[in-house]
Amino acid sequence: MDDRPGTACVVSDDRLTGYNFGPSHPMAPIRVDLAMELATELGVVGDDLRRVGSKAADDDLIATVHTPAYIEAVRAVSADPSVPNLAAGLGTDDNPTFADMHTAGALIVGASVEAARRVWTGQSLRALNVCGGLHHAMPDRASGFCVYNDVAVAIRWLLDNGAQRVAYVDVDAHHGDGVQQIFYDDPRVLTVSLHETPQTLFPGTGVATEIGTDDGIGTAVNVALPPGTSDAGWLRAYHAVVPQLVGEFKPDVLVTQQGCDSHMDDPLTNLMLSVDGQRASYLALRDLAEEVCAGRWVGFGGGGYAVLDVVPRSWAHLMAIVAGRPIELDTPTPPAWREHVVALKSGGMAPQRMTDGRSTSYRDWREGYDPASWLDRQILATRNALFPLYGLDPMP
Ligand SMILES: [Zn+2]
């Protein structure tokens, strides 16, 4: 581990992959190991992206977001996984219980808070916890593979340590419902989520009219993308909504969740992005941090269930961008990494290159709006719901 100050760091600890729902669950910890291995073999991890350690969050820190009763419930199922607690979402198909679930979740929270702390104290300009991003967890229950909401605890830590305004952008294919709900009435946190429409995907929330409540009106932003949205559509939507609103909000720090389950090969969702489009989204988030908050960027992983073909390449690109040295798209994957993947697949091919060969060009919103397009209607709905609150014109 390397504790020297540097521009960028990735929080990395072998114990983080102890967050493991078992062999039949889609969220396989091997995805993180393969991403770290790929990034390391490509020379991404090192002087430009230092590996740093962290420690488990204590109960007081977790309780800045979660109820004491819920933390107690997680502790109870950790001690005896044979007794589920369905009211707390523990022991369902999505969130099976396992021994040490509490510790595994607390380690991820601790790593995410460490990433936030590094950036906020200026030890690093950019910090990443690829094991984090558990955006569905609610204050009093587990949801969607998420036990403790490390993202929300990290944002709360930033607020408690002097940040006046935090912007959160979530590019996972699923709505970032837990983070949105936890800060729904808080004017200091802007939550932005671009995701597949709740008409076709879990968790069933995240429409344009969810804009926050009470003092937080105008601080929740949702773009509900049609199933089948590909790179061009995704990038069109992002650039039509996110830079303007985050720019007006003027955050002190940008926090992002990079679930890569928006990929066309992901088994759980219906978006159609490529690794190329995902890389373009990470570059856009880096640019956004530079434009609005002097580059301060705290990033997390998230979903991603094409664990061999997609997640390692997407998150190796993410790590390289955080490191300040993006990987060229036509870079071959290292032979040793390929062999590892082929062995895990018991046959078949490993990805040969860091690209899917797709174009990332898109039509800019300012060039016009097509009322016949489902995507454009969704973009306009979000702009109509939010832009007037910031003195912006929703029309192209
Ligand atoms: Zn997801």
Side-chain angles (χ1 to χ4, degrees), residues 135-136 172-175 201 257 259-262 269 302-305:
H135 60 168
H136 296 306
D172 191 283
H174 299 90
H175 178 221
L201 193 67
Q257 196 265 26
C260 56
D261 45 8
S262 57
T269 79
Y305 309 101

Side-chain angles (χ1 to χ4, degrees), residues 27-270:
M27 199 161 85
I30 188 72
R31 66 196 189 127
V32 172
D33 295 329
L34 286 171
M36 287 302 297
E37 180 185 333
L38 179 58
T40 301
E41 289 183 14
L42 288 169
V44 169
V45 181
D47 280 350
D48 292 331
L49 186 71
R50 299 212 166 100
R51 286 177 60 141
V52 301
S54 63
K55 60 184 196 313
D58 63 22
D59 284 14
D60 285 348
L61 186 55
I62 298 170
T64 60
V65 161
H66 293 285
T67 64
Y70 175 62
I71 298 170
E72 199 45 52
V74 177
R75 282 190 178 280
V77 300
S78 304
D80 184 357
S82 71
V83 182
N85 183 337
L86 299 179
L90 299 164
T92 61
D93 285 351
D94 273 3
N95 317 303
T97 55
F98 60 92
D100 290 328
M101 174 186 263
H102 168 80
T103 303
L107 281 163
I108 290 179
V109 175
S112 293
V113 171
E114 176 62 11
R117 190 194 68 76
R118 291 233 164 211
V119 171
W120 190 242
T121 59
Q123 270 180 293
S124 297
L125 182 62
R126 303 182 289 272
L128 188 62
N129 173 20
V130 286
C131 293
L134 303 175
H135 60 168
H136 296 306
M138 293 293 176
D140 59 353
R141 66 185 162 86
S143 176
F145 317 161
C146 303
V147 176
Y148 292 135
N149 198 314
D150 61 296
V151 177
V153 178
I155 292 172
R156 184 80 79 197
W157 186 93
L158 289 164
L159 297 171
D160 290 347
N161 285 272
Q164 303 290 311
R165 300 162 86 77
V166 178
Y168 170 68
V169 181
D170 183 321
V171 306
D172 191 283
H174 299 90
H175 178 221
D177 58 339
V179 184
Q180 173 179 293
Q181 180 170 317
I182 289 160
F183 299 107
Y184 206 50
D185 61 356
D186 193 330
R188 299 171 299 170
V189 181
L190 178 73
T191 63
V192 182
S193 181
L194 299 102
H195 46 262
E196 183 177 332
T197 172
Q199 291 173 262
T200 52
L201 193 67
F202 178 91
T205 52
V207 294
T209 48
E210 294 169 35
I211 60 167
T213 189
D214 300 323
D215 289 347
I217 286 179
T219 63
V221 180
N222 288 286
V223 186
L225 302 163
T229 297
S230 59
D231 298 325
W234 195 100
L235 291 164
R236 175 172 168 80
Y238 173 90
H239 288 286
V241 170
V242 182
Q244 294 97 317
L245 290 175
V246 175
E248 291 294 325
F249 188 73
K250 298 184 174 65
D252 298 317
V253 55
L254 181 67
V255 177
T256 62
Q257 196 265 26
Q258 274 82 209
C260 56
D261 45 8
S262 57
H263 194 277
M264 57 190 144
D265 291 343
D266 195 278
L268 298 194
T269 79
N270 309 294

